[in-house]
Amino acid sequence: MSKQAEKLEKFFWFYLILNPILDIVSGIYIQFVTHGDVYSSASIAPITPSLVVRMLVLLVMIGYILLIRDWRSVKIAIPMGVAWALSVVSEFITFGEISIFIDVQYFARFAYNVAVFFVYCRMMERSGMPREQVIEKIHRFIMISLFLLTVVIVVPYIFGAGHYTYADRFGYRGFRGFYYSGNDITGALMILFPIGSCYFLSIPKREMDRKRMLLLGLPLAMTLLSMLMIGTKTAFLAIGVSIAGLLIYALVRFFHKDCEALKRFACVAVLLIALYAVISALSVLVSGISIGQTLEGTIQGFRDSNNESAETLFFSGRLNKLAPAWDDYTSGGLLTWLFGVGRGSQVETIEMDLCETLIYYGLFGFVAMLWLFFKEGVCFIGRFFRNFSVLGLGAFLSLGLCVGYLTIAGHVLFTVTSGFYFAVTLAYARYITGGGRTPHHLAPKHSKE
């Protein structure tokens, strides 16, 4: 049994690299196979080969949790499943019918992210490797993931292939490469960038030569360029918050007579400028469009929208989706208040995760499904402020941005792209601050050192 668990753990390490590749495959599939026609209704998310693979991986994760007898995780997951079942019952009683496929599909993506958190917590605790080696291994996967995710934005831009971020009354603006959902890729980059940056800043000077500095600085520069190209308000805000937090840290180190962090900060800035110039020149030669034109169109769109209300600018029209869903929730009486209206009763998703959890799964579901994330987040913050570290700062910025994003403008907990990175980051934050405690029956029987 132990050997079977070890084989699965090796697969889960590999899956950290496979995951961004799945996102790339999904984007290419939507672009070239379905030509963007992936919705059979507004309620159903795209059914792509990568989503099928992830649902199969969910089954593997459940098998792993049972294999290592992680009953604590099972006990935490059971109320979540009960909340889903009760929401379906409430949906049927309230509306007289159910859309079971939509209900199952939507909750399965949430269950996938919960399973990711459990699996990567246990995998890190059971690794048998020194803590520093585990953390270094995770960092390598994060940097590789950033490179893979951004290549599919930066390179297609040269050839004029891919999706615009916006296609509205202000014209076609922004660029998100082959990714069908701008929200998903923005969330993924937003989560990974601060962790990768703080890892870059944390490496001791004696271990950093020019080659390694360029190798690690490149994916960070590519991420910044990709976020600028995506051009959403959320992407710009994420860049601003991340850079502000990192710059404050670098300046504090500088005032303590350590200028290494500022040097590395400057290295990424130089790489960004060089990358901007090279990609822009190539795109002008190949497709006749420069990155400057793309950014100018995005900024002009923001300027032209200045007359819109603060609610429209802040929530990007999501309140129009929230209002009818809220009416269904409040008009159903005690039953819907407690157990929600079910996902299948709604035509469109709200894309505000906290509101979705409350409305679709009720007060019971809100507590049962979210208390784990709330508890882990609060415990991490306590440990981080008691024992500050630059790696903890990266996790703090990532999780803070993600929580803000899923609250007002994102779709994280119920998506398998950015939700995966959120769950892994939460497990990473728990591990680096000493939150992981391995019960005896979960500990590896043989050290892998």
Side-chain angles (χ1 to χ4, degrees):
M1 183 178 293
S2 177
K3 289 183 178 179
Q4 291 175 329
E6 288 180 8
K7 289 179 180 179
L8 288 177
E9 287 162 2
K10 289 179 180 178
F11 166 74
F12 293 135
W13 281 115
F14 166 72
Y15 190 63
L16 287 172
I17 292 299
L18 180 61
N19 196 73
I21 295 174
L22 289 175
D23 293 318
I24 293 170
V25 170
S26 178
I28 293 174
Y29 172 83
I30 293 172
Q31 174 80 3
F32 295 105
V33 178
T34 69
H35 304 290
D37 184 19
V38 292
Y39 286 91
S40 59
S41 80
S43 298
I44 303 176
I47 304 299
T48 63
S50 62
L51 180 61
V52 174
V53 170
R54 283 172 166 129
M55 291 300 100
L56 292 175
V57 172
L58 170 60
L59 297 179
V60 175
M61 289 179 178
I62 293 172
Y64 170 76
I65 290 170
L66 296 176
L67 185 65
I68 64 173
R69 295 177 295 160
D70 183 8
W71 307 127
R72 181 183 178 187
S73 294
V74 173
K75 290 177 183 178
I76 293 172
I78 287 175
M80 299 178 181
V82 171
W84 171 79
L86 291 174
S87 76
V88 174
V89 172
S90 177
E91 177 184 339
F92 179 76
I93 294 174
T94 303
F95 299 98
E97 59 181 359
I98 59 174
S99 300
I100 193 65
F101 176 75
I102 297 174
D103 284 313
V104 170
Q105 183 211 51
Y106 204 69
F107 183 77
R109 286 180 277 155
F110 177 86
Y112 170 83
N113 294 326
V114 173
V116 167
F117 173 73
F118 289 149
V119 165
Y120 281 93
C121 280
R122 301 300 173 246
M123 191 178 75
M124 286 184 271
E125 293 166 354
R126 288 170 42 89
S127 67
M129 296 184 291
R131 179 175 292 267
E132 294 77 11
Q133 189 174 342
V134 174
I135 294 172
E136 177 66 22
K137 192 171 184 178
I138 295 170
H139 288 150
R140 287 201 302 268
F141 285 123
I142 287 173
M143 301 305 282
I144 294 171
S145 296
L146 280 174
F147 179 79
L148 292 174
L149 290 170
T150 54
V151 159
V152 189
I153 298 175
V154 173
V155 174
Y157 184 83
I158 297 172
F159 301 96
H163 302 286
Y164 291 102
T165 304
Y166 295 104
D168 53 24
R169 66 185 185 278
F170 303 119
Y172 292 96
R173 51 199 174 91
F175 183 78
R176 48 188 164 88
F178 288 139
Y179 297 107
Y180 189 79
S181 172
N183 284 344
D184 273 356
I185 186 58
T186 298
L189 296 179
M190 172 196 302
I191 294 165
L192 295 179
F193 177 74
I195 298 177
S197 298
C198 285
Y199 164 58
F200 184 52
L201 298 180
S202 72
I203 299 172
K205 184 178 180 179
R206 65 182 180 276
E207 298 177 13
M208 181 71 78
D209 55 24
R210 289 184 179 180
K211 182 179 178 180
R212 190 179 187 189
M213 185 174 291
L214 292 174
L215 192 64
L216 294 178
L218 180 60
L220 300 177
M222 290 178 66
T223 303
L224 288 173
L225 182 61
S226 297
M227 298 280 270
L228 290 173
M229 293 168 67
I230 290 170
T232 60
K233 294 186 290 290
T234 305
F236 288 146
L237 182 62
I239 291 173
V241 172
S242 297
I243 290 178
L246 296 169
L247 185 57
I248 290 172
Y249 171 79
L251 290 173
V252 170
R253 297 306 307 161
F254 176 75
F255 289 126
H256 284 81
K257 303 185 185 303
D258 180 3
C259 61
E260 187 65 22
L262 275 180
K263 287 181 180 179
R264 296 182 192 181
F265 202 96
C267 173
V268 174
V270 171
L271 285 172
L272 173 61
I273 294 170
L275 193 63
Y276 178 99
V278 171
I279 299 300
S280 189
L282 290 174
S283 63
V284 169
L285 288 174
V286 176
S287 59
I289 300 176
S290 70
I291 296 178
Q293 290 174 290
T294 299
L295 292 177
E296 184 179 350
T298 300
I299 294 170
Q300 186 60 45
F302 290 153
R303 289 173 180 170
D304 292 343
S305 64
N306 281 340
N307 293 328
E308 294 180 341
S309 67
E311 287 183 349
T312 301
L313 288 173
F314 197 60
F315 293 102
S316 300
R318 289 178 176 84
L319 295 185
N320 294 330
K321 299 178 181 179
L322 175 61
W326 181 254
D327 287 342
D328 285 344
Y329 173 72
T330 54
S331 63
L334 183 62
L335 183 65
T336 57
W337 295 351
L338 289 176
F339 306 121
V341 299
R343 173 62 188 89
S345 70
Q346 303 300 301
V347 175
E348 293 184 301
T349 55
I350 304 167
E351 295 187 357
M352 298 169 67
D353 285 354
L354 298 185
C355 294
E356 287 182 7
T357 307
L358 176 63
I359 292 172
Y360 300 160
Y361 305 103
L363 289 170
F364 176 77
F366 190 85
V367 174
M369 294 166 65
L370 298 184
W371 78 268
L372 171 67
F373 297 114
F374 177 79
K375 177 184 76 71
E376 290 293 337
V378 170
C379 290
F380 160 70
I381 291 172
R383 294 191 299 268
F384 168 61
F385 281 107
R386 284 195 301 270
N387 187 19
F388 176 87
S389 69
V390 64
L391 295 181
L393 175 63
F396 179 78
L397 290 171
S398 293
L399 293 175
L401 284 168
C402 195
V403 169
Y405 188 51
L406 67 85
T407 302
I408 62 173
H411 197 48
V412 176
L413 298 179
F414 297 94
T415 179
V416 293
T417 299
S418 52
F420 172 85
Y421 294 112
F422 171 68
V424 170
T425 298
L426 194 60
Y428 164 85
R430 182 174 186 264
Y431 187 76
I432 64 172
T433 55
R437 294 291 183 268
T438 309
H440 177 71
H441 73 281
L442 294 182
K445 293 182 180 180
H446 302 287
S447 173
K448 300 177 185 177
E449 294 183 51

